[in-house]
Structures are given as structure tokens and as C-alpha cells.
Amino acid sequence: MLLFFIVGLLVHFVFFASIFDIYFTSPLVHGMTPQFTPLPPPARRLVLIVADGLRADALYEFDEKGNPRAPFIRNIIMHEGSWGISHTRVPTESRPGHVALIAGFYEDVSAVAKGWKENPVEFDSLINQSKYTWSWGSPDIVSMFAKGATGNHVFTHSYDADSEDFGAKDVTKLDTWVFDNIKEFFHAAKNNQSLFSKLNEEKVVFFLHLLGIDTNGHAHRPTSREYKDNIKLVDEGIKEIVSLLKDFYGNDEKTAFLFTSDHGMTDWGSHGAGHPSETFTPFVAWGAGIKYPQKVSDQQFNDVLLKGWKLEYWKRQDINQADVAPLMASLIGVPFPLNSVGILPVKYLNNTDAFKAESMYTNAKQILEQFKVKMTQKKEVTLPFLFTPFKLLSDSKQLDILRKARSYIKQENYDEAVFLCMELIHLSLEGLTYYHTYDRFFLGINVLLGFVGWASYASLLIIKSHSSLTRGVSKEVKKPSHLLLCSFVTIGILMAFFLLIQACPWTYYVYCLLPVPIWYAVLREYQVIQDLVTSLLTFPSRHFVGYLLALALGIEVLVLSFFYRYMLTAGLTVFAGWPFTTQLWTRAKSVSLSWIFFCLLLAVFPLMPVVGRKPDIFLVMGAGLLVLLLSLFVVTSLIKTKDRFVNDKLLLHLLQILSTVLSMWAVYSTHNSLLKKQGLPLINQVVSWIILASSFVVPLLSPRNLLERLFSILVSSMSAYLLLSTGYEALFPLVLSCLMFVWIHMEQETLQQSGVSCKQKVTSIHFSYNTDITQFRQLCLDDIRRAFFLVFFLVTAFFGTGNIASINSFDLASVYCFLTVFSPFMMGALMLWKIFIPFVLVMCAFEAVQLTTQLSSKSIFSSWSRIMAAGLILEQASATT
């Protein structure tokens, strides 16, 4: 049994790891030749200003008094430059956004393992291609481009990381620090001849990263006065910096300015997903090489944003975020970043048609270079007769398009040249995607085969060991033939040889060879399969089809609940009707009524807004009071008993009550302190960490009596959960636990009705390491229902208050009792524990169900695993197709 679980864990670990190896591999390639426009650029220097976390609507809209929120930027839009919306991609985080802006490609997803801070794979960027770059801002952002740069030409200036405090009194200091340091820098340059000469070189980049708006958005929400006032401060700061640069360079009109954002922010102060408030960021460009404002009578955009911003008569030109990198490279005449997939937005350029055509030609060749390298890499590790090239862009077609485009440029037919270059770019991008996902179908099929095989094998073991389904059908047990073993060994050797001659990574061997022993183990049980088929043939067809449809419908509801939370409400509503389908309603009416009540009460949560959108400290306090009332009720009941250990139990409960009270105090005190902009008090922080640590230890000191241990786990978990709550979600684990307590009683009543003997009262059952295996019984249809209930409750625990698959479901305010200084790993760990607390409560309750129903955990957990596997198989199948 131990070996079975160890192998099962390893198999599931491989399945989990395959997700990252199949869907989250780095898209970057190396070995390309730099490409740059041969004509002289319009600008000698470029200023890139990135206001972190700035939404497009927040910048372009008017304030409450009817005045522009950013008057200087609006003046630029109307009199000096071009504007539009820069469309970002998921994940809408700071590092991915800046990588797209400066390097021109969408973030390598493996960077999430390093908290979006380090470079998991080295890449080229505009900063690396520049002659000199000076950067000011957050240490997390400005330093990452310096690490990947070659030579000693990138200079960074950043404040201390501890300054990024969401609880600070005034976080606009993060932006004023940048503006003040730039002013000091240029003032000092006038008296430093070496620095002065560097600043007057060509191909110079100034990068300003402004973090104040993002920090205010997280701390106070984008609708707050702090967020909006920060935008005005940034607008004033940009105005001063522009004036400073013009004065320093003597109005030589050789400076290009770009102002944008890395990502937006939701109304509830988070980002990371794909909501328009997160993906719509402002983009304003002016100065050398940038087209002047264009007045139009009609625009192609159907949204109502233009009228709301009063910009319907100024031409809006939207771009993708990665398009900014080739635009900047074109403006100052540096090679396009080697890994860039951005398309040069020629509509922003104020230059000759020849320059635009040459720039587009360079852009096309730069992306085509990546396509060629990617194709060569894949061709080298694939057998010639198995290699399927990207047919839309053959070698002859590449040469034909390039030849025609060059011919059109020589003939001064620039529009046709630009059109051909755009066609080549789009085909190259399609080809890059094609080769990047070349092995995805092959690997997906192998993982799917392994998944189906493991599910089948575990199911056969359950039927063989814990079911009477096959008993009495077959009398003779046959040993598997040697031919079967030889066949699978041959298949394994051929597969390994096939992977070896293609120089595949070692992980490919794992995914492709794993199904071989699994399916051999399945076919070794052919006698069980034969007996099972024989038994099923004797089963009434009507009942069989009915059970099959019910199982399929249940699994489909589980899969849909990953995308539509209201499906959990539908499922819980159906669960509420369970007592009416059995004799429970007549034999255990009080327990049935409790079941119905808590099922319907829990069904409300998936219909509520995602956590963090509407914070309410009083709901958190209310949840704490309910926990206190429950604890006091238990203490009162304990005092009335004549238990000889009553003093020890009483002390433990009083300790947990104190922990709950301290949690409520810490939440309320921290909330008020941050509201007054006084930061996180040290005493609150210390108390919060102590409560969190004690929540892991205190339940272990409680008696082993089933209900007492479960209640102790609940109270300790709630103390920690209150500290991580901002609103209604504080009530969720409490309601979930009440339903779990009722479920335990319901299952025991069900067992009694089925006629199983040796029934114990729930209050007399103890958790124990040594369980009498002779009391275990065989599986029945009710156990499949129990396994399904477990899976459904686990999904409800994960998705009941939010969508954990969406980054913007996480509210940073949840961890403010523990820390307010930005720390992605620590904050992520705390929020993950908040997610896992309901999961732990469900699993503890299920262990109690397993004890009360006298069922082997191996059999029912295997049933649970099969149900989960069925749902995952459906998703894997859809992904591979």
C-alpha cells in the first residue's frame, strides 16, 4: 500500500510538472544577427517614462471639477504629439510589462518562479543596444535591464526596496525621488565634463520608472483621491523634466519622449489578469521623429471612451505593448532588440516614406531571423521524414518577399514595400508560434495516455481489493504471458531510441516512457477487467446508463466550475435536495434540515463578488464574533461535563479564544492605522506572526476525540484566516466547517440505514494512528458519492470566494497585518495559505467521514483521485485538440 501511494505521488508530480514543460516553456531563441535601419534617425536621445499601474482612463479623463487630470499630457496630445492606447497582455505585472516595452517580447513565463524579478533566460533589449542609458526608479525594475546589458554603459539609480511600503504615509515620495534625482543629475552634469560629453552622444536613453501610482492604487484603490492626486503629481513632474531637458540641450529638437504604463489596475486595486482596466494603458509620444496631432471627424473605435475623454477629434492610434520597442529603436537608430516580436507602428513616425519603408524592412528581417533560428533548432532535433515545416513561409517565399520589398523601395513604391513587410512579419510570427508549440500535441497525447492509464490501474486495484463486484465470476487466476512483458519492453526500447536520435530533453523521456509500465500494469490485470465486464453485463442497462450519465454530469459541473463560479451554487443547491432522495428526511430530520440550511448558505458565496472588490472590516469582525460565540458555547458545555481532563481542555479553549480576540484586535487596529496613514504597527505585526505560527501547533495539543480535534482545528485556522481577510470571505470557512460537521453526521446516518453494523456515535470516535483494518468494509455506490462530495467541496473551497486561477483575485490588503513592504514570495506564500485553509478544513472533515463510515482511506482516496482524473482528462483532451 505504501509503495502504491509513493508511486502515485511520483506519477502525479510528473503530470503536474508536464504542465510547465508543455505550456510554459521559454519562447526565446538566440543566435540572430542584429538588424538596424541604414538611414539617419530623427532623434539623438530618447526619454521613456513609465508610470507603473496607470490606467488609460485615469490619465485621459477629467476630474470632478471638469478639468483635465493631467493638463500637461493633454496639451501634448492636442498640440505636440500622437496618442493612443497600448494594449498589454497577461500577466499584467510590472516585470512582464517592462520587458514588453523595452525588449519587445512578451515575458518568459518561467520568470514567475523568480518573483518577476530575475532574468531566467538572458534577452536583448533597447537598453543593451543603446550607447548610454541612465535609469531612475524601483530597484526591482531598473536593475533587471542592467544585468542583461553588455559593457559598462548602463547606469542605474534606485531607492531602497524598503521604501516600497503600501502602508507608508505618503508613497508619492517614490515619484518625487525620481524627479528630484534627475534634476540633481543634470545640474551636476554641467560641472562634469566627462558626464556632459556622454550625455551629448547619440543613441542615449533616459528611463524613468514611477512606482507611486501603482503603490497608491494597491493601498487605496484607483478610485481614491491618493491615486488621482498622484497622477497630477506625475504630470507636473514630467512637465518639469521636459523643460529641464530642453534647457540642457538648448532646444535642439533631437529628443523623443514616450510616456506609457506597464499595466493598469482593477477597481479593487489589483492586476495580473486580462480585464480591460488592466490591459488598457496610456501611450503618448512627442518630440523628434513623432507625428504631430491629427484632427479627424470620425474614428474607427466603437467604444464610448473617446467622448468621455473629449478626445474624439484627435486621432487615436492604438498599439500593442511590444510595438514600443521597435518604435524606440527606430527613433534613435539602434538595432532592433533581437528577441522583439513587436511591429513598428509607422503611423507614429514623422519622417520620410523612405525611412518608414526601410524601418519596416529592418523590422521584418529582424523577426524573420528569429523564425529561421527557431526552425533550424527544431529541424536539427527531428528526423527528416517526420519534420513538418511551416508551409506558409517556405525558404523560397521568404526570399521572394524580401526581394520584392527591396525592389519596391528602390522604385520608391514605399506603400507596397511596407505592405509586403507587414505580410512577412505576420507570417514569421505565425511560424514562431508554430515551432514553439511544435511538440505540444505529441507531449500532450503522451501525458494524456499516462493519465488515463494511471486512472485505469488505480480503479482496477480498487475493484480488486475493495469491491465484491468481481467475486464469484472468475474462479481461475491466470498469470500474464511473457509475450505481454516482451511487447511492452520492446515498445519502451523503441520509444527511448526514437527520443535519443532526436536529442530530446530528458523530460521527454519521462512523459513518453511513463505510459509504458503503467499500461503494462493495467493489462496485467486483464482477469479483473474480464470479470468486471462480465459483471457489468449482468447489471440492468437502465441503471447503468443512469449512473453513467449522473457521473458524467457531475464531472462536467466540476469542470465548468473552474470557469463559472455560479456552477458551484447550482451544485450546492442540488446537494441540498439529497436528503429527499433517501430516508434521511424521515429518520434524521434535524440533521437533514441543518444540511439543507448550510448547503444553501454556502451556495451564496460563489455568487458574491471576487474577494477584495468590496472590502468590509465589519464583516471580518462579525466572523470573529461568531467564532467567539461558538467557542464560548463549547467552553460552557465543557464546564458542565465531569471529564477528568476538563482543566487541560479548558485551558486550551481559553488559549484559542484569546487567539481569536487578538486576531480581531490586530485586524481592526491595522485597518485604522493604515487608514490614518500611520503604517503597520510593530506590535500588530508581531502578534499576527505569533498567531499564524500557533495555528499550526495548538490543534496538535487538543484531545484526539474526533469532534474536539476538528473544532480545535477550526478555531485555530479561523484565527489565522481572520488576519488574512478583508471582507465577507472571513465568513466562508466558518460556514464551510458547519456544513462539514453536518456532513459527518449525515454520512453516519446513511451508514446506519445501509445496515452496516458496529456503528459508533460520532462523539465517541477518536483519531488514531492504529486503526483496526478488520473493521473496514467493501466499497459500495454510496462511496462513489462520498468521493464526489469530497471533490466538489474541495473545488468549492478553492473557488468559493474567488478565482484562484486569476492573479487579480489576490488582494494585497489581505497580508497587511503581516507586512506592507513589497515582497512577492512572502506575500504569495501568505495568500496561498489563505487559499489552503478551507482546503485543510475539508480534508480533516473527510478524514472524519472515513472513520465514521469504516472505510479504508486507500480505497476512497483512490475513488477521489479517479474522479479528479476524469475531469483533468477532459481538460487535457480539449487542450491537445
Side-chain angles (χ1 to χ4, degrees), residues 515-528:
V516 176
I518 289 177
W519 278 102
Y520 171 69
V522 171
L523 294 182
R524 280 190 64 196
E525 304 293 340
Y526 69 92
Q527 192 67 55
V528 180

Side-chain angles (χ1 to χ4, degrees), residues 785-846:
R785 174 192 52 75
R786 291 184 182 103
F788 180 78
F789 274 20
L790 170 64
V791 176
F792 192 90
F793 287 139
L794 287 176
V795 174
T796 303
F798 279 123
F799 294 97
T801 59
N803 179 9
I804 65 165
S806 175
I807 298 176
N808 74 11
S809 289
F810 300 119
D811 184 10
L812 288 178
S814 299
V815 301
Y816 284 172
C817 286
F818 298 92
L819 71 165
T820 53
V821 176
F822 182 64
S823 176
F825 282 114
M826 185 61 68
M827 289 178 166
L830 288 169
M831 287 188 282
L832 280 176
W833 178 238
K834 178 183 178 181
I835 291 169
F836 275 111
I837 285 175
F839 172 86
V840 170
L841 295 174
V842 173
M843 292 306 300
C844 290
F846 187 70

Side-chain angles (χ1 to χ4, degrees), residues 338-465:
L338 295 175
N339 303 112
S340 172
V341 294
I343 303 174
L344 176 66
V346 291
K347 54 196 174 184
Y348 271 88
L349 293 176
N350 181 24
N351 213 315
T352 63
D353 290 339
F355 181 85
K356 294 177 183 178
E358 286 287 359
S359 297
M360 281 301 300
Y361 186 80
T362 302
N363 193 187
K365 287 183 66 179
Q366 171 259 323
I367 296 178
L368 181 62
E369 279 283 315
Q370 295 181 72
F371 170 80
K372 288 180 177 179
V373 171
K374 194 80 170 178
M375 181 181 68
T376 301
Q377 289 178 353
K378 185 52 60 182
K379 195 172 183 179
E380 287 175 351
V381 296
T382 307
L383 294 174
F385 66 91
L386 291 177
F387 181 71
T388 306
F390 183 63
K391 296 178 181 179
L392 296 179
L393 191 57
S394 61
D395 292 343
S396 59
K397 188 163 186 177
Q398 297 172 29
L399 295 172
D400 184 54
I401 293 177
L402 288 174
R403 180 182 55 78
K404 285 183 177 179
R406 176 51 63 192
S407 175
Y408 282 137
I409 292 174
K410 288 181 178 179
Q411 298 170 13
E412 299 186 359
N413 193 350
Y414 300 119
D415 291 339
E416 288 295 330
V418 169
F419 178 79
L420 275 178
C421 291
M422 287 290 289
E423 181 185 358
L424 181 57
I425 288 173
H426 287 299
L427 288 173
S428 299
L429 292 175
E430 286 183 38
L432 278 172
T433 303
Y434 172 80
Y435 287 117
H436 180 60
T437 60
Y438 190 85
D439 293 331
R440 183 171 292 180
F441 181 78
F442 170 71
L443 293 175
I445 288 296
N446 279 278
V447 171
L448 183 61
L449 284 172
F451 223 143
V452 174
W454 180 254
S456 303
Y457 178 64
S459 300
L460 290 172
L461 286 186
I462 295 170
I463 294 168
K464 184 179 180 180
S465 306

Side-chain angles (χ1 to χ4, degrees), residues 10 27 44 49 76 189 204 315 344 354 362-363 375 420 429 439 466 552 558 647 650 676 679 712 797 820 837:
L10 290 174
R44 291 175 61 88
I49 307 169
I76 292 292
V204 170
K315 189 173 183 180
L344 176 66
T362 302
N363 193 187
M375 181 181 68
L420 275 178
L429 292 175
D439 293 331
H466 299 279
L558 283 174
N647 291 332
L650 193 59
K676 296 174 183 177
S712 179
T820 53
I837 285 175

Side-chain angles (χ1 to χ4, degrees), residues 472-485:
V473 178
S474 176
K475 296 180 180 178
E476 183 182 354
V477 178
K478 299 178 182 178
K479 292 184 178 180
S481 66
H482 292 291
L483 179 61
L484 182 66
L485 177 61

Side-chain angles (χ1 to χ4, degrees), residues 60-71 74 232 308-310:
Y60 295 139
E61 69 185 7
F62 285 72
D63 60 20
E64 297 79 6
K65 297 179 181 179
N67 299 319
R69 177 157 289 121
R74 179 165 286 267
K232 292 184 178 180
W309 300 337
K310 298 182 180 179

